[in-house]
Amino acid sequence: MALGPAGVGRMADRILVIGSGVIGLTTAILLAEAGHPVRIRTAELPMNTTSVVAGALLGPVMESTDERAREWVQYGGQIFGGLAADPATGVRMQRGRLLSRRPGELPGWASAALGFEECAGGDRPNGFPTAFWVTAPVADMRRYLRYLTDRFGGAGGQIEVDPVASLGEAAAEARLVFNCTGVDAAALTSDDDLESVRGQHVVVRNPGLTDFAYEVHGQQSWVGYFAHGDRVVLCGVAVPGSRDREPDPATTAAILARDAAIEPRLTGARVLGVEVGLRPRRSRVRIEAEDIDGSRIVHHYGHGGNGVAWSWGSARDAVGLA
């Protein structure tokens, strides 16, 4: 297959991307900016997807057994660093604390991180023997998704709210299809390895915070907050197997209490809203292709809570399969 612009294979006619979360949008942007006609079909517009609920700390803090993750984070870090120079993207470099309840040595990458400094005195919350400052890219997902949507449209891409019922239906429409449907890929592909993990964030009025804090080894619950201008996003929980998108009052109360314990200024902060999203968790991110009815289907889903941080790197790999 001959190579087209930016190293992307030249593809006949239209390209279809299924799903408009951060994975679908990023994949579609790479294709559209390489000069290909791309359309997204989606069940929800980007601002209604799980991606808008992401905490979106974009540095190398998420543990993963996927050997591709390190390269994805490094590649994405270069892109996010560039985007941080433009306030319109919603990405910025922010100083914050990374916390762990595990005593002992710091992670191997920590001392080399930008702005590294071990926390001391009142900066180290009780119960966190490992705590240090870093400076890392952080995304305000409301602004970042609007930026990606506008960038895709500027490259000639189109988004249509029209869910795809089957891969056969998608194959009948386009010679090349990218399946970026997140948790919905379980039904679309009969993928038993894909699991929905429920997350919930609480958004409060900002009492004057300019930093972030994040517990790096949390499993089903952890502490963390991200200041975005006049609001702060508090996290977080992970409920495996749940597809319930209704806010849970008990979870809201627990999140507020945990975060106020590490940052007293959050005590009594006015709640502006509660957001619930479903993370698509898989033992390994699925990036592979298959042929259906003469069309090539590239699967690109299963990032769990790392979708934003890994998006540019994994999208580059997925497009490479075209």
Side-chain angles (χ1 to χ4, degrees), residues 100-262:
S100 176
R101 300 180 192 273
R102 300 180 185 178
E105 297 181 358
L106 295 166
W109 54 265
S111 59
L114 183 64
F116 169 79
E117 180 184 357
E118 290 196 62
C119 293
D123 290 340
R124 184 189 300 273
N126 291 332
F128 293 93
T130 300
F132 53 97
W133 292 97
V134 297
T135 299
V138 172
D140 178 341
M141 289 306 296
R142 295 181 183 180
R143 294 172 63 192
Y144 184 55
L145 286 175
R146 283 195 292 268
Y147 160 76
L148 291 180
T149 302
D150 291 344
R151 181 168 165 177
F152 177 57
Q158 299 178 330
I159 299 178
E160 180 179 350
V161 179
D162 182 17
V164 172
S166 70
L167 293 179
E169 176 187 335
E173 178 174 333
R175 293 285 302 278
L176 180 61
V177 177
F178 287 83
N179 172 24
C180 305
T181 51
V183 296
D184 291 333
L188 201 62
T189 67
S190 300
D191 188 343
D192 294 334
D193 190 26
L194 183 64
E195 179 181 37
S196 172
V197 180
R198 181 183 184 276
Q200 180 167 317
H201 289 169
V202 182
V203 183
V204 302
R205 185 175 299 280
N206 193 343
L209 303 180
T210 58
D211 63 340
F212 69 84
Y214 191 80
E215 182 180 352
V216 297
H217 294 122
Q219 297 297 319
Q220 292 195 351
S221 64
W222 57 91
V223 299
Y225 63 81
F226 298 90
H228 298 300
D230 61 356
R231 63 192 178 93
V232 182
V233 177
L234 314 181
C235 53
V237 295
V239 183
S242 174
R243 295 183 64 96
D244 184 2
R245 296 184 64 171
E246 287 298 316
D248 175 51
T251 299
T252 297
I255 290 172
L256 289 167
R258 286 197 300 269
D259 286 333
I262 66 165

Side-chain angles (χ1 to χ4, degrees), residues 73-99:
V73 169
Q74 291 175 345
Y75 180 72
Q78 297 172 6
I79 293 178
F80 288 122
L83 294 177
D86 181 359
T89 66
V91 179
R92 67 191 183 283
M93 301 300 293
Q94 188 175 43
R95 188 170 185 253
R97 292 174 294 173
L98 296 179
L99 313 172

